[in-house]
Amino acid sequence: MPLPDGFLWGASTSAHQTEGGNTNSDWWVMEHGSTGTGHIKEPSGDACDSYHRWREDMDLLAGLGFTDYRFSIEWARIEPAPGEFSRAALDHYRRMVDGARERGLRPMLTLHHFSTPAWFSWGAAESAELFARYVAAAAPVYADGVEHVCTINEPNMIATMAGLIQLLTTGAAMPEAGLPEPDPAVSQTLIDAHRRAVEAVKAHAPHVRTGWTVANQVYQPLPGAEHVAAAYSHPREDLFLQAAADDDWLGVQSYTRTRIGPDGPLPVPPDAERTLTGWEYYPAALGHALRHTAAVVPGVPLIVTENGIATADDTRRVAYTGAALAGMAEAMADGVDVRGYFHWSALDNYEWGTYAPTFGLIHVDRETFARTPKPSAAWLGAIGRTRALPYQP
Ligand code: BGC
C-alpha cells in the first residue's frame, strides 16, 4: 500500500531518556533521592549522551531512510530556575532543528516529555500558566522550520503517576492489575496547560500544527463488561482524547492491550508472550488504538507518535512492527485518517528507572555510546525510501 503524500515516516526519542546529565530535572532528583515510587532501579546518568551526539543520531536515521524525527526539548535545561531562561539551551535546540532539516529529517518537536524542572509541580495552582510561559519562551526553537509541535506527551500517564504517588503517600491499596486512577485535578490542569500552550505556540508561529500524544491502552472488554471498560477508560484515556477535539492532529501511542472483565482490568494471561517490560506481545493493539481514537474524536487527523516493543530479539521487533503496520494499513483502508508513523524508539535508551528494556532500532553501547543499527532499523527505514507499506489490505 503506497504511503499517502506527505506521510510522516520516523522514529521517536525524548530528551531525558537520551541526552544524559539532565541534572535540573525532577526525574534526576527522584533518581537520586527518596521521593521515587520504588520503580527506579538505576539513574539515567549519561543516558545515550545524545546532548552531544545528536548529529550522529540524525545522520543514522536519515541514512536509514527515515524522513521525520520526533524528539523533545528539555524544559529543565531551558528554564533551570523559575523565569530564568537559558539562551544557550535554546540555541542548542535551535541547532538540532536546523540540523534535522539539513539532513532531510522533518522535526516533530515535543515540548514536554515527562520530565520537568525540579522546581515545578503539576500539582501547583499556577502550573498551567508556568508551562505556557515556558512554551512562549521556547518560540525561537519552533518559530520556523518546524511543522508539528506536541505540547505534552502522554498527559494521561502524567496524571496516573500523580495518582500513583497519592496512593503511595496515603498508604492506600494498589490495584492488582491495570493502572491507578489518575489524579482528577492534575488531569484538568494538564488539559488547561495544553490549551494555553497551543495558544502560545500559535501566537508565535501560526503555521505550526499543534497537538498532544495520548497513551492508548486498548481496553478490551470481555463479553458483558463493555460498560466497565467504558467507565475505566474515561478518566484514563478518553477524557484526554476528547480534549484534543479542536486540535490540528492527535498522537496515538500504542504498545499492548488491557483486557477488562466484570470487575475491571485482568492480568496478562499466563500463557501469553511477554516483552521485556512485562507487557503482552500484542501487535494488533495499534490498529485497535487508531480505530478507538478515531471513534472518540472523529475528524481529527491522527499520527502514530509511538509504537514499538522492548525486546532483546530483533526478529521479534520486525515481526511485531510488521503486524502493527498491517493493522494500521487496514485501519487506513477503512477510512481512518492517519498522517504518519513514528517508531519508539530510535535508540536503546533510559526506560524511566532502568536501561534493561531495549526499545531501540539502534543499539547503544552503555560504555562507549557507540551506535549500531539493528536489522529492524534498516528494514523499517527502507519503507521511508520506497514510500510503500509492504501490505495490501
Ligand atoms: C513514553 C516513552 C516510553 C515508552 C515505553 C511511552 O509511555 O512516551 O517515554 O519510553 O512509552 O514505555
Side-chain angles (χ1 to χ4, degrees):
M1 182 180 124
L3 292 176
D5 282 349
F7 198 86
L8 313 175
W9 193 256
S12 296
T13 57
S14 87
H16 186 73
Q17 293 175 272
T18 57
E19 288 182 344
N22 191 16
T23 55
N24 283 318
S25 67
D26 60 338
W27 263 84
W28 187 273
V29 172
M30 199 154 63
E31 290 161 22
H32 296 89
S34 55
T35 55
T37 54
H39 64 281
I40 292 177
K41 299 194 180 71
E42 54 187 327
S44 53
D46 288 327
C48 308
D49 192 28
S50 289
Y51 197 76
H52 303 107
R53 294 171 199 252
W54 60 267
R55 293 175 186 83
E56 206 181 321
D57 299 341
M58 290 186 191
D59 283 343
L60 283 172
L61 292 172
L64 287 162
F66 292 102
T67 51
D68 297 83
Y69 181 33
R70 173 176 178 237
F71 60 92
S72 73
I73 62 174
E74 182 54 60
W75 184 6
R77 292 187 195 272
I78 293 176
E79 193 179 358
E84 196 177 307
F85 294 95
S86 162
R87 176 148 304 281
L90 291 169
D91 286 352
H92 169 85
Y93 291 118
R94 183 65 231 175
R95 282 194 294 276
M96 283 184 74
V97 164
D98 292 338
R101 294 183 60 85
E102 282 157 22
R103 290 164 175 82
L105 293 169
R106 292 173 291 196
M108 171 186 268
L109 210 69
T110 302
L111 302 174
H112 178 281
H113 195 124
F114 292 165
S115 47
T116 71
W119 54 263
F120 177 87
S121 157
W122 282 113
E126 68 288 6
S127 50
E129 208 177 303
L130 292 173
F131 180 62
R133 181 176 72 176
Y134 147 68
V135 171
V141 181
Y142 57 74
D144 65 293
V146 176
E147 205 179 317
H148 291 90
V149 164
C150 163
T151 59
I152 301 173
N153 178 72
E154 295 193 350
N156 52 334
M157 288 300 130
I158 299 173
T160 299
M161 270 293 269
L164 172 69
I165 288 166
Q166 250 171 35
L167 289 186
L168 289 170
T169 45
T170 57
M174 293 294 248
E176 277 167 32
L179 298 169
E181 174 111 24
D183 179 321
V186 171
S187 298
Q188 284 311 321
T189 301
L190 288 161
I191 291 171
D192 186 23
H194 172 58
R195 299 228 161 98
R196 288 175 189 233
V198 167
E199 280 171 27
V201 172
K202 300 271 187 198
H204 292 89
H207 66 279
V208 166
R209 297 172 61 73
T210 45
W212 69 357
T213 59
V214 176
N216 194 303
Q217 304 293 337
V218 181
Y219 295 117
Q220 284 185 348
L222 299 189
E226 288 79 7
H227 60 291
V228 183
Y232 190 79
S233 176
H234 187 266
R236 290 172 178 79
E237 190 168 305
D238 295 354
L239 175 74
F240 297 90
L241 300 178
Q242 286 158 357
D246 296 326
D247 284 352
D248 298 324
W249 58 273
L250 174 52
V252 174
Q253 316 213 135
S254 163
Y255 293 91
T256 187
R257 67 170 168 180
T258 304
R259 294 173 321 128
I260 306 279
D263 301 320
L266 300 168
V268 175
D271 54 342
E273 177 181 345
R274 285 170 180 256
T275 70
L276 289 176
T277 42
W279 303 341
E280 182 182 356
Y281 175 95
Y282 189 70
L286 181 59
H288 291 291
L290 287 164
R291 288 172 198 270
H292 175 76
T293 307
V296 176
V297 273
V300 181
L302 307 183
I303 300 175
V304 178
T305 37
E306 286 183 25
N307 170 244
I309 173 175
T311 177
D313 176 354
D314 197 50
T315 64
R316 292 312 279 154
R317 188 175 340 274
V318 173
Y320 175 93
T321 309
L325 291 174
M328 178 179 87
E330 273 163 32
M332 289 167 74
D334 289 343
V336 178
D337 182 6
V338 185
R339 306 280 179 96
Y341 176 89
F342 289 83
H343 192 79
W344 185 271
S345 177
L347 305 173
D348 285 343
N349 61 33
Y350 185 61
E351 178 56 22
W352 307 110
T354 165
Y355 281 98
T358 41
F359 277 95
L361 296 167
I362 299 171
H363 167 79
V364 179
D365 186 295
R366 300 245 26 84
E367 297 292 318
T368 64
F369 305 111
R371 275 91 164 123
T372 311
K374 303 174 189 177
S376 56
W379 168 77
L380 195 65
I383 297 174
R385 272 199 213 98
T386 59
R387 307 303 295 169
L389 290 174
Y391 310 102
Q392 207 53 58

